[in-house]
Amino acid sequence: MTSPNPTTTPDPPVDPAPKPTRRTFTTEYRNNILDEYNSAPHGEKSAVLRREGLYQSQLREWAQARTTAAGKSRPKAATNPDNDAATRKEMARLTRENARLAKQLTQTEAALEIMGKLHVLLESISESTDTPPLPKTP
């Protein structure tokens, strides 16, 4: 008696599509795309992404990596004590100005609140006297 199945095992099916590989980008390509993207007008930025098949998050990561790499390659500037003193002096001046403006804003808001209440009071007095209101002048 012969078996309907042959004794040899059939080959496994061959996958017609090759295994996908992750794209890699050179530093030069990344910098070119970042420069092109940054120089593109507002409405054209997405066209650059579509043309290259990229996502905005990739460009964000590339830009961050570029600034990090640029920061590592630059030598640190020596601190200038005169510059620090000037910075502290400017900070103190701005803090005083900020406090002055905050006080002025509080006074203005209080005055506006009082004027609003006065307006309501005058309207109620005008209505209670049964006198016609004055015509508005342009």
mmCIF file of all heavy atoms in Angstrom, residues 68-108:
data_model
loop_
_atom_site.group_PDB
_atom_site.id
_atom_site.type_symbol
_atom_site.label_atom_id
_atom_site.label_comp_id
_atom_site.label_asym_id
_atom_site.label_seq_id
_atom_site.Cartn_x
_atom_site.Cartn_y
_atom_site.Cartn_z
ATOM 1 N N THR A 68 23.267 69.621 20.807
ATOM 2 C CA THR A 68 24.069 68.981 21.839
ATOM 3 C C THR A 68 25.488 68.760 21.346
ATOM 4 O O THR A 68 26.451 69.038 22.060
ATOM 5 C CB THR A 68 23.444 67.640 22.253
ATOM 6 O OG1 THR A 68 22.111 67.868 22.705
ATOM 7 C CG2 THR A 68 24.236 66.983 23.354
ATOM 8 N N ALA A 69 25.625 68.290 20.109
ATOM 9 C CA ALA A 69 26.950 68.063 19.541
ATOM 10 C C ALA A 69 27.697 69.376 19.367
ATOM 11 O O ALA A 69 28.902 69.462 19.607
ATOM 12 C CB ALA A 69 26.830 67.338 18.206
ATOM 13 N N ALA A 70 26.994 70.432 18.977
ATOM 14 C CA ALA A 70 27.635 71.733 18.799
ATOM 15 C C ALA A 70 28.071 72.290 20.144
ATOM 16 O O ALA A 70 29.120 72.933 20.243
ATOM 17 C CB ALA A 70 26.676 72.703 18.112
ATOM 18 N N GLY A 71 27.313 72.050 21.191
ATOM 19 C CA GLY A 71 27.670 72.529 22.519
ATOM 20 C C GLY A 71 28.891 71.822 23.072
ATOM 21 O O GLY A 71 29.699 72.406 23.780
ATOM 22 N N LYS A 72 29.059 70.545 22.742
ATOM 23 C CA LYS A 72 30.208 69.790 23.226
ATOM 24 C C LYS A 72 31.486 70.198 22.513
ATOM 25 O O LYS A 72 32.561 70.139 23.075
ATOM 26 C CB LYS A 72 29.975 68.291 23.034
ATOM 27 C CG LYS A 72 28.947 67.724 23.980
ATOM 28 C CD LYS A 72 28.771 66.248 23.767
ATOM 29 C CE LYS A 72 27.727 65.673 24.698
ATOM 30 N NZ LYS A 72 27.511 64.252 24.450
ATOM 31 N N SER A 73 31.362 70.614 21.258
ATOM 32 C CA SER A 73 32.563 70.926 20.495
ATOM 33 C C SER A 73 33.093 72.314 20.803
ATOM 34 O O SER A 73 34.263 72.588 20.584
ATOM 35 C CB SER A 73 32.278 70.809 18.991
ATOM 36 O OG SER A 73 31.350 71.797 18.597
ATOM 37 N N ARG A 74 32.240 73.211 21.304
ATOM 38 C CA ARG A 74 32.688 74.566 21.606
ATOM 39 C C ARG A 74 33.339 74.621 22.976
ATOM 40 O O ARG A 74 32.805 74.042 23.929
ATOM 41 C CB ARG A 74 31.491 75.522 21.612
ATOM 42 C CG ARG A 74 31.180 76.073 20.239
ATOM 43 C CD ARG A 74 30.159 77.177 20.345
ATOM 44 N NE ARG A 74 28.846 76.550 20.159
ATOM 45 C CZ ARG A 74 27.749 76.926 20.765
ATOM 46 N NH1 ARG A 74 27.761 77.928 21.591
ATOM 47 N NH2 ARG A 74 26.618 76.308 20.555
ATOM 48 N N PRO A 75 34.454 75.329 23.101
ATOM 49 C CA PRO A 75 35.036 75.484 24.432
ATOM 50 C C PRO A 75 34.176 76.428 25.261
ATOM 51 O O PRO A 75 33.547 77.336 24.737
ATOM 52 C CB PRO A 75 36.414 76.091 24.152
ATOM 53 C CG PRO A 75 36.274 76.752 22.820
ATOM 54 C CD PRO A 75 35.243 75.943 22.064
ATOM 55 N N LYS A 76 34.160 76.198 26.551
ATOM 56 C CA LYS A 76 33.351 77.038 27.432
ATOM 57 C C LYS A 76 34.004 78.401 27.568
ATOM 58 O O LYS A 76 35.216 78.508 27.706
ATOM 59 C CB LYS A 76 33.196 76.383 28.791
ATOM 60 C CG LYS A 76 32.406 75.107 28.729
ATOM 61 C CD LYS A 76 31.878 74.740 30.065
ATOM 62 C CE LYS A 76 31.018 73.493 29.892
ATOM 63 N NZ LYS A 76 30.119 73.314 30.952
ATOM 64 N N ALA A 77 33.186 79.431 27.520
ATOM 65 C CA ALA A 77 33.689 80.788 27.648
ATOM 66 C C ALA A 77 34.056 81.044 29.110
ATOM 67 O O ALA A 77 33.379 80.589 30.035
ATOM 68 C CB ALA A 77 32.648 81.783 27.178
ATOM 69 N N ALA A 78 35.108 81.778 29.298
ATOM 70 C CA ALA A 78 35.520 82.131 30.655
ATOM 71 C C ALA A 78 34.502 83.107 31.231
ATOM 72 O O ALA A 78 33.998 83.980 30.528
ATOM 73 C CB ALA A 78 36.908 82.753 30.629
ATOM 74 N N THR A 79 34.210 82.965 32.502
ATOM 75 C CA THR A 79 33.245 83.872 33.114
ATOM 76 C C THR A 79 33.915 85.204 33.384
ATOM 77 O O THR A 79 35.051 85.264 33.836
ATOM 78 C CB THR A 79 32.695 83.279 34.431
ATOM 79 O OG1 THR A 79 33.790 83.035 35.305
ATOM 80 C CG2 THR A 79 31.928 81.997 34.162
ATOM 81 N N ASN A 80 33.192 86.246 33.102
ATOM 82 C CA ASN A 80 33.701 87.593 33.283
ATOM 83 C C ASN A 80 33.039 88.175 34.523
ATOM 84 O O ASN A 80 31.822 88.333 34.558
ATOM 85 C CB ASN A 80 33.374 88.427 32.038
ATOM 86 C CG ASN A 80 33.973 89.798 32.092
ATOM 87 O OD1 ASN A 80 34.561 90.198 33.084
ATOM 88 N ND2 ASN A 80 33.821 90.529 30.997
ATOM 89 N N PRO A 81 33.812 88.507 35.566
ATOM 90 C CA PRO A 81 33.186 89.031 36.795
ATOM 91 C C PRO A 81 32.467 90.349 36.553
ATOM 92 O O PRO A 81 31.463 90.630 37.198
ATOM 93 C CB PRO A 81 34.346 89.202 37.771
ATOM 94 C CG PRO A 81 35.590 88.959 37.007
ATOM 95 C CD PRO A 81 35.236 88.357 35.691
ATOM 96 N N ASP A 82 32.972 91.170 35.623
ATOM 97 C CA ASP A 82 32.291 92.431 35.317
ATOM 98 C C ASP A 82 30.924 92.157 34.707
ATOM 99 O O ASP A 82 29.957 92.847 34.989
ATOM 100 C CB ASP A 82 33.125 93.276 34.351
ATOM 101 C CG ASP A 82 34.420 93.758 35.001
ATOM 102 O OD1 ASP A 82 34.454 93.826 36.244
ATOM 103 O OD2 ASP A 82 35.378 94.051 34.252
ATOM 104 N N ASN A 83 30.858 91.140 33.866
ATOM 105 C CA ASN A 83 29.602 90.773 33.223
ATOM 106 C C ASN A 83 28.607 90.268 34.258
ATOM 107 O O ASN A 83 27.416 90.580 34.193
ATOM 108 C CB ASN A 83 29.848 89.721 32.142
ATOM 109 C CG ASN A 83 28.638 89.507 31.261
ATOM 110 O OD1 ASN A 83 27.740 90.338 31.212
ATOM 111 N ND2 ASN A 83 28.619 88.402 30.565
ATOM 112 N N ASP A 84 29.077 89.494 35.240
ATOM 113 C CA ASP A 84 28.195 88.990 36.288
ATOM 114 C C ASP A 84 27.643 90.144 37.120
ATOM 115 O O ASP A 84 26.465 90.156 37.475
ATOM 116 C CB ASP A 84 28.941 88.000 37.185
ATOM 117 C CG ASP A 84 29.256 86.694 36.464
ATOM 118 O OD1 ASP A 84 28.613 86.431 35.434
ATOM 119 O OD2 ASP A 84 30.139 85.958 36.937
ATOM 120 N N ALA A 85 28.483 91.115 37.439
ATOM 121 C CA ALA A 85 28.029 92.270 38.223
ATOM 122 C C ALA A 85 27.005 93.076 37.428
ATOM 123 O O ALA A 85 25.988 93.524 37.979
ATOM 124 C CB ALA A 85 29.214 93.151 38.608
ATOM 125 N N ALA A 86 27.265 93.244 36.123
ATOM 126 C CA ALA A 86 26.323 93.979 35.285
ATOM 127 C C ALA A 86 24.996 93.229 35.190
ATOM 128 O O ALA A 86 23.925 93.849 35.222
ATOM 129 C CB ALA A 86 26.913 94.182 33.894
ATOM 130 N N THR A 87 25.071 91.916 35.124
ATOM 131 C CA THR A 87 23.848 91.106 35.049
ATOM 132 C C THR A 87 23.048 91.232 36.339
ATOM 133 O O THR A 87 21.826 91.391 36.304
ATOM 134 C CB THR A 87 24.204 89.637 34.775
ATOM 135 O OG1 THR A 87 24.964 89.557 33.580
ATOM 136 C CG2 THR A 87 22.954 88.787 34.638
ATOM 137 N N ARG A 88 23.723 91.171 37.480
ATOM 138 C CA ARG A 88 23.023 91.316 38.763
ATOM 139 C C ARG A 88 22.393 92.701 38.894
ATOM 140 O O ARG A 88 21.270 92.840 39.381
ATOM 141 C CB ARG A 88 23.993 91.061 39.909
ATOM 142 C CG ARG A 88 24.294 89.588 40.141
ATOM 143 C CD ARG A 88 24.984 89.388 41.476
ATOM 144 N NE ARG A 88 26.256 90.107 41.565
ATOM 145 C CZ ARG A 88 27.436 89.630 41.189
ATOM 146 N NH1 ARG A 88 27.500 88.410 40.683
ATOM 147 N NH2 ARG A 88 28.538 90.348 41.332
ATOM 148 N N LYS A 89 23.104 93.728 38.435
ATOM 149 C CA LYS A 89 22.585 95.096 38.504
ATOM 150 C C LYS A 89 21.336 95.234 37.628
ATOM 151 O O LYS A 89 20.337 95.826 38.046
ATOM 152 C CB LYS A 89 23.664 96.077 38.042
ATOM 153 C CG LYS A 89 23.305 97.520 38.198
ATOM 154 C CD LYS A 89 24.473 98.419 37.805
ATOM 155 C CE LYS A 89 24.107 99.878 37.943
ATOM 156 N NZ LYS A 89 25.223 100.750 37.537
ATOM 157 N N GLU A 90 21.402 94.661 36.435
ATOM 158 C CA GLU A 90 20.251 94.710 35.525
ATOM 159 C C GLU A 90 19.073 93.942 36.117
ATOM 160 O O GLU A 90 17.915 94.370 36.027
ATOM 161 C CB GLU A 90 20.645 94.133 34.160
ATOM 162 C CG GLU A 90 19.529 94.112 33.144
ATOM 163 C CD GLU A 90 19.120 95.492 32.651
ATOM 164 O OE1 GLU A 90 19.792 96.501 32.966
ATOM 165 O OE2 GLU A 90 18.104 95.561 31.937
ATOM 166 N N MET A 91 19.342 92.787 36.731
ATOM 167 C CA MET A 91 18.275 91.999 37.362
ATOM 168 C C MET A 91 17.613 92.793 38.492
ATOM 169 O O MET A 91 16.386 92.778 38.631
ATOM 170 C CB MET A 91 18.845 90.686 37.918
ATOM 171 C CG MET A 91 19.105 89.635 36.865
ATOM 172 S SD MET A 91 17.587 88.912 36.260
ATOM 173 C CE MET A 91 17.109 87.973 37.672
ATOM 174 N N ALA A 92 18.405 93.480 39.291
ATOM 175 C CA ALA A 92 17.853 94.278 40.388
ATOM 176 C C ALA A 92 16.986 95.402 39.834
ATOM 177 O O ALA A 92 15.894 95.677 40.362
ATOM 178 C CB ALA A 92 18.983 94.845 41.248
ATOM 179 N N ARG A 93 17.451 96.065 38.759
ATOM 180 C CA ARG A 93 16.673 97.145 38.154
ATOM 181 C C ARG A 93 15.348 96.616 37.620
ATOM 182 O O ARG A 93 14.286 97.221 37.840
ATOM 183 C CB ARG A 93 17.472 97.803 37.021
ATOM 184 C CG ARG A 93 16.756 99.017 36.409
ATOM 185 C CD ARG A 93 17.459 99.528 35.168
ATOM 186 N NE ARG A 93 17.383 98.611 34.046
ATOM 187 C CZ ARG A 93 16.296 98.452 33.249
ATOM 188 N NH1 ARG A 93 15.203 99.153 33.485
ATOM 189 N NH2 ARG A 93 16.308 97.605 32.247
ATOM 190 N N LEU A 94 15.398 95.483 36.929
ATOM 191 C CA LEU A 94 14.170 94.913 36.368
ATOM 192 C C LEU A 94 13.212 94.454 37.463
ATOM 193 O O LEU A 94 11.989 94.570 37.314
ATOM 194 C CB LEU A 94 14.522 93.756 35.425
ATOM 195 C CG LEU A 94 15.218 94.145 34.126
ATOM 196 C CD1 LEU A 94 15.669 92.905 33.360
ATOM 197 C CD2 LEU A 94 14.322 95.001 33.264
ATOM 198 N N THR A 95 13.738 93.945 38.565
ATOM 199 C CA THR A 95 12.888 93.526 39.680
ATOM 200 C C THR A 95 12.169 94.730 40.281
ATOM 201 O O THR A 95 10.969 94.665 40.576
ATOM 202 C CB THR A 95 13.731 92.812 40.752
ATOM 203 O OG1 THR A 95 14.405 91.704 40.148
ATOM 204 C CG2 THR A 95 12.862 92.317 41.891
ATOM 205 N N ARG A 96 12.902 95.844 40.462
ATOM 206 C CA ARG A 96 12.268 97.064 40.991
ATOM 207 C C ARG A 96 11.196 97.579 40.037
ATOM 208 O O ARG A 96 10.097 97.966 40.459
ATOM 209 C CB ARG A 96 13.328 98.156 41.218
ATOM 210 C CG ARG A 96 14.222 97.917 42.418
ATOM 211 C CD ARG A 96 15.084 99.136 42.745
ATOM 212 N NE ARG A 96 15.810 99.652 41.604
ATOM 213 C CZ ARG A 96 17.037 99.286 41.225
ATOM 214 N NH1 ARG A 96 17.677 98.355 41.925
ATOM 215 N NH2 ARG A 96 17.632 99.833 40.172
ATOM 216 N N GLU A 97 11.506 97.570 38.741
ATOM 217 C CA GLU A 97 10.525 98.044 37.755
ATOM 218 C C GLU A 97 9.292 97.152 37.738
ATOM 219 O O GLU A 97 8.161 97.637 37.645
ATOM 220 C CB GLU A 97 11.159 98.101 36.364
ATOM 221 C CG GLU A 97 10.215 98.664 35.315
ATOM 222 C CD GLU A 97 10.844 98.731 33.928
ATOM 223 O OE1 GLU A 97 12.007 98.331 33.761
ATOM 224 O OE2 GLU A 97 10.138 99.190 33.017
ATOM 225 N N ASN A 98 9.507 95.846 37.862
ATOM 226 C CA ASN A 98 8.387 94.905 37.885
ATOM 227 C C ASN A 98 7.493 95.178 39.093
ATOM 228 O O ASN A 98 6.260 95.176 38.986
ATOM 229 C CB ASN A 98 8.917 93.474 37.906
ATOM 230 C CG ASN A 98 7.828 92.458 37.693
ATOM 231 O OD1 ASN A 98 6.703 92.793 37.364
ATOM 232 N ND2 ASN A 98 8.164 91.196 37.896
ATOM 233 N N ALA A 99 8.089 95.429 40.259
ATOM 234 C CA ALA A 99 7.306 95.723 41.463
ATOM 235 C C ALA A 99 6.526 97.016 41.292
ATOM 236 O O ALA A 99 5.351 97.103 41.686
ATOM 237 C CB ALA A 99 8.230 95.810 42.676
ATOM 238 N N ARG A 100 7.173 98.031 40.701
ATOM 239 C CA ARG A 100 6.495 99.319 40.480
ATOM 240 C C ARG A 100 5.306 99.146 39.545
ATOM 241 O O ARG A 100 4.204 99.655 39.802
ATOM 242 C CB ARG A 100 7.482 100.330 39.883
ATOM 243 C CG ARG A 100 6.878 101.709 39.625
ATOM 244 C CD ARG A 100 7.854 102.646 38.927
ATOM 245 N NE ARG A 100 8.273 102.187 37.617
ATOM 246 C CZ ARG A 100 7.568 102.340 36.491
ATOM 247 N NH1 ARG A 100 6.395 102.929 36.517
ATOM 248 N NH2 ARG A 100 8.027 101.890 35.342
ATOM 249 N N LEU A 101 5.497 98.397 38.473
ATOM 250 C CA LEU A 101 4.407 98.193 37.505
ATOM 251 C C LEU A 101 3.271 97.353 38.104
ATOM 252 O O LEU A 101 2.097 97.587 37.800
ATOM 253 C CB LEU A 101 4.954 97.556 36.237
ATOM 254 C CG LEU A 101 5.865 98.447 35.385
ATOM 255 C CD1 LEU A 101 6.487 97.647 34.243
ATOM 256 C CD2 LEU A 101 5.110 99.649 34.853
ATOM 257 N N ALA A 102 3.624 96.381 38.941
ATOM 258 C CA ALA A 102 2.585 95.570 39.587
ATOM 259 C C ALA A 102 1.736 96.442 40.516
ATOM 260 O O ALA A 102 0.508 96.305 40.568
ATOM 261 C CB ALA A 102 3.224 94.419 40.363
ATOM 262 N N LYS A 103 2.381 97.356 41.251
ATOM 263 C CA LYS A 103 1.645 98.268 42.139
ATOM 264 C C LYS A 103 0.735 99.181 41.326
ATOM 265 O O LYS A 103 -0.424 99.400 41.679
ATOM 266 C CB LYS A 103 2.637 99.094 42.951
ATOM 267 C CG LYS A 103 1.990 100.038 43.930
ATOM 268 C CD LYS A 103 3.036 100.816 44.716
ATOM 269 C CE LYS A 103 2.379 101.830 45.628
ATOM 270 N NZ LYS A 103 3.360 102.650 46.333
ATOM 271 N N GLN A 104 1.265 99.690 40.206
ATOM 272 C CA GLN A 104 0.473 100.570 39.342
ATOM 273 C C GLN A 104 -0.727 99.817 38.770
ATOM 274 O O GLN A 104 -1.840 100.363 38.688
ATOM 275 C CB GLN A 104 1.355 101.113 38.225
ATOM 276 C CG GLN A 104 0.668 102.128 37.341
ATOM 277 C CD GLN A 104 1.618 102.646 36.247
ATOM 278 O OE1 GLN A 104 2.752 102.213 36.135
ATOM 279 N NE2 GLN A 104 1.111 103.558 35.450
ATOM 280 N N LEU A 105 -0.533 98.567 38.392
ATOM 281 C CA LEU A 105 -1.633 97.758 37.859
ATOM 282 C C LEU A 105 -2.707 97.549 38.917
ATOM 283 O O LEU A 105 -3.902 97.654 38.626
ATOM 284 C CB LEU A 105 -1.102 96.417 37.355
ATOM 285 C CG LEU A 105 -2.136 95.420 36.851
ATOM 286 C CD1 LEU A 105 -2.843 95.962 35.612
ATOM 287 C CD2 LEU A 105 -1.499 94.083 36.560
ATOM 288 N N THR A 106 -2.311 97.281 40.144
ATOM 289 C CA THR A 106 -3.275 97.087 41.227
ATOM 290 C C THR A 106 -4.099 98.350 41.449
ATOM 291 O O THR A 106 -5.327 98.280 41.624
ATOM 292 C CB THR A 106 -2.535 96.702 42.523
ATOM 293 O OG1 THR A 106 -1.746 95.537 42.274
ATOM 294 C CG2 THR A 106 -3.502 96.418 43.652
ATOM 295 N N GLN A 107 -3.447 99.508 41.430
ATOM 296 C CA GLN A 107 -4.156 100.780 41.611
ATOM 297 C C GLN A 107 -5.137 101.011 40.463
ATOM 298 O O GLN A 107 -6.277 101.451 40.683
ATOM 299 C CB GLN A 107 -3.163 101.934 41.691
ATOM 300 C CG GLN A 107 -2.358 101.968 42.962
ATOM 301 C CD GLN A 107 -1.275 103.043 42.930
ATOM 302 O OE1 GLN A 107 -0.971 103.599 41.885
ATOM 303 N NE2 GLN A 107 -0.687 103.309 44.091
ATOM 304 N N THR A 108 -4.709 100.729 39.240
ATOM 305 C CA THR A 108 -5.579 100.937 38.079
ATOM 306 C C THR A 108 -6.797 100.017 38.145
ATOM 307 O O THR A 108 -7.925 100.441 37.857
ATOM 308 C CB THR A 108 -4.787 100.696 36.780
ATOM 309 O OG1 THR A 108 -3.644 101.544 36.768
ATOM 310 C CG2 THR A 108 -5.636 100.957 35.556
#
